[in-house]
Amino acid sequence: MRDDNRRGPGTIGKFYGVGLGPGDPKLLTLKAKEILEKVDVIFVPKADREGNSRARSIVEAATAGPWNFVELIFPMAKDEKILGSYWKKAAGRIAEEVWIGKTVAFVTIGDPFIYSTYIYVLKTLRQNFPDIEVETIPGISAFNAAASLAQIPLVEGEERLAILPVTDDLRPLRETFKEFDTVVLMKVGSKLERVVRLLNELNLIKNAVLISHAGCPNEYIERDLSILSGKELGYLSVIIVKCRQEEKA
């Protein structure tokens, strides 16, 4: 507990959303490090109660303790009615600490405003506790780290970039590949084999690179996606497709 950071009697604290980057503790920004080393409480999202939190391990590796961690559970579900109760509970727990004068941070992998649970927690917090002061600290996103690892320029000149999650319905991707110069596919996970089939069908397989767990000890880069048939590399996989590569050659 860092009592020297209390704001004093009769005042409320402040809430920070902090992006931790893709996984490598050395990619944490100086601003994020500064905030995390001064706050009273660090809220850490987890998918379940078991196992270690990747976000927590980044904080521990990149910043100086002591830390006061509070873990918040957010199940891997798609039903917003179910998730809404967890967002509301998290916002209430955060508000409890802020109202007694503490500065608190909610940490998230990557950037807080790119496919992050933080977005929903922040919306709920603003709706239910509008007087709480908020500051969001950006982080390096997974696709930025992936492009750097694979040495692939995302866009240049007047090129257009699309960033989207892979959903159960892959049909919209056909038009996306036609309309954009570079397409970044996130949340590939269990849909990898179907994506590989589609890229083969559209003759884009040689223009695609997969990067899994960018910035982590188990990061993996594959430029021959044809060998990935039947494999599943997990939720934290990104595919970068250069859709106009052959036209420029």
Side-chain angles (χ1 to χ4, degrees):
M1 190 73 62
R2 303 184 186 181
D3 293 331
D4 57 320
N5 288 313
R6 299 280 189 100
R7 294 198 168 193
T11 63
I12 66 172
K14 183 174 179 179
F15 174 60
Y16 294 91
V18 181
L20 299 178
D24 183 347
K26 293 181 180 179
L27 293 179
L28 187 74
T29 66
L30 292 175
K31 181 65 176 290
K33 184 176 186 296
E34 175 189 332
I35 297 300
L36 292 172
E37 289 182 341
K38 79 175 185 179
V39 295
D40 299 301
V41 183
I42 300 175
F43 287 95
V44 180
K46 288 185 65 177
D48 55 56
R49 298 184 186 278
E50 302 298 326
N52 296 323
S53 163
R54 183 179 170 204
R56 177 170 176 165
S57 67
I58 294 172
V59 175
E60 291 175 333
T63 66
W67 309 278
N68 179 14
F69 289 111
V70 175
E71 294 182 341
L72 298 173
I73 304 301
F74 300 96
M76 296 292 286
K78 294 183 178 180
D79 190 335
E80 290 198 4
K81 290 183 179 179
I82 295 174
L83 290 172
S85 64
Y86 288 89
W87 300 334
K88 185 176 181 180
K89 182 178 179 180
R93 183 69 182 83
I94 290 166
E96 285 178 10
E97 300 290 347
V98 175
W99 284 123
I100 61 174
K102 294 182 182 179
T103 53
V104 306
F106 181 99
V107 295
T108 180
I109 301 296
D111 181 85
F113 286 133
I114 298 178
Y115 300 125
S116 170
T117 299
Y118 170 76
I119 297 170
Y120 305 103
V121 172
L122 178 60
K123 286 180 180 178
T124 307
L125 195 70
R126 282 176 168 166
Q127 179 180 350
N128 296 339
F129 309 98
D131 293 333
I132 289 179
E133 183 182 359
V134 176
E135 182 176 347
T136 304
I137 313 301
I140 296 173
S141 68
F143 66 85
N144 284 123
S148 295
L149 286 169
Q151 294 292 296
I152 298 177
L154 289 173
V155 278
E156 55 186 288
E158 298 181 355
E159 291 180 344
R160 297 194 299 163
L161 171 67
I163 302 161
L164 63 164
V166 178
T167 63
D168 291 329
D169 185 2
L170 299 186
R171 288 174 295 180
L173 287 180
R174 295 175 179 273
E175 290 303 314
T176 303
F177 289 137
K178 291 178 183 178
E179 295 175 3
F180 291 86
D181 300 279
T182 305
V183 175
V184 175
L185 302 176
M186 301 184 69
K187 304 184 181 182
V188 178
S190 61
K191 304 175 186 69
L192 174 60
E193 186 166 4
R194 294 176 59 208
V195 172
V196 170
R197 286 202 302 267
L198 179 60
L199 291 171
N200 259 319
E201 180 187 338
L202 299 176
N203 295 316
L204 290 172
I205 194 74
K206 293 182 179 180
N207 298 8
V209 178
L210 178 139
I211 304 94
S212 181
H213 291 85
C216 299
N218 59 334
E219 68 185 23
Y220 172 74
I221 301 175
E222 183 55 66
R223 299 178 189 277
D224 183 5
L225 270 63
S226 62
I227 70 170
L228 297 177
S229 180
K231 295 185 179 181
E232 184 175 334
L233 296 176
Y235 181 77
L236 297 174
S237 296
V238 173
I239 294 177
I240 301 175
V241 186
K242 301 295 290 185
C243 306
R244 305 287 183 264
Q245 207 167 62
E246 293 181 355
E247 294 177 10
K248 292 182 178 183

